[in-house]
Amino acid sequence: MKTECAACKSLWDDYLDGELVSRERAVLEAHLRACDECRMALEELSLAEEALTQLPVQRCPDRVIDAVMHAAGAGEARRRFPWGRLAAGLGAVAAALLIVVLPMRHGSSPSDEELLRARKQARWSLTYVVQTMNRSRDQAIERVLEKQLHQTVKERISRALAGIEGGQE
Amino acid sequence: MDAEDFQEVVRRSADRVFSHAVYLLRSSEDAEDATQEVFVRLWKHRNRIERGHEAAWIMRTAHNLCLDLLRKRSARAKRLRSWSHHDPGAAPGDGRPNPQQQYELTRRQESLHRAMARLPEKIQSMLLLHYFHGMTYVSIAEMLGMHTGTVRVAVHRGKRMLRGYLAEESEERRHEDGMRCMQVPLG
């Protein structure tokens, strides 16, 4: 490769990026007029750029967007209220009651041990239901505060919390 | 970001993310999965993303996710093969090209896709970010946490490699055309 060609090649990228100063551009263009090899190579480089720029935009299928929206919506619904957990808790309460009621309907009273187990089960389940509801209420309040509190108030709360965590207050 | 903002962001950027994934992964199915994953992550981290920075976050995640997926795919040859079955889509523009133009366009695009597939994956992604998405070197560098000079050098290097591969493709096409002409019966 000739020295002029090597010098010319080193300027190609800046030339295509439009970053050459006018004097350098003039030198390069003069060389391109005289050298077929460099002109063709630069044309190819420019065509490669053009091809990349003109790649067609691919349309994202609706099913992908729908799936994303569904996933986000389902997440939001779960975050709003944990119906599943509440149902599980209530189901457990019902099951505990059935342990007590079913034997009574068949004319036999439940044993002390069964009663104790059912009572324990019912107490545990009710506690679970209450805890779930309390947690949901706290989260709901938190979300409302997060959305509606003025930014300044939020910043003050954050600063105060940071102070408490840092042991300053 | 609330649900409404999220929907708006998804609708605005879905095609960009999907295109980036299609051109890098060379599989519509994988691109669909990657696009979905980008937006699921966006939803998951929505409270940590600064307002106004969603677009950069999305493209960074798409870039990283696609590169991860490509790294996991060890068979490079499989990607090259898969191109011949993938329809890169219609060309932009109002007028429909005539069959001959369409044929040429498809051949040129196929050459480009094959040439792109020979580049290192990170460089492919950077070329797409710069030329296809129209991002500046500075924006790409900020987005990927790199120096602007590094991005510029990578893009220039990629472009020169691409030019070389395209020249090879073009030579092969000329050779194929020559062979076809010789096979046409005279009279």
Side-chain angles (χ1 to χ4, degrees), chain B residues 17 20-21 24-25 30-39 41 58-72:
Chain B
V17 173
H20 192 84
L24 270 180
L25 302 174
D30 289 353
E32 283 185 23
D33 290 346
T35 306
Q36 198 170 322
E37 179 63 24
V38 168
F39 290 120
R41 286 189 193 180
I58 287 168
M59 284 320 294
R60 183 173 58 238
T61 308
H63 165 89
N64 290 333
L65 194 70
C66 289
L67 290 186
D68 280 350
L69 286 173
L70 285 172
R71 269 194 285 270
K72 282 176 195 164

Side-chain angles (χ1 to χ4, degrees), chain A residues 143-163:
Chain A
R143 273 199 304 280
V144 169
L145 288 178
E146 194 184 314
K147 271 189 184 168
Q148 295 184 354
L149 269 187
H150 194 272
Q151 188 58 33
T152 332
V153 181
K154 278 188 202 169
E155 281 170 10
R156 281 186 192 164
I157 292 172
S158 304
R159 275 204 299 276
L161 283 174

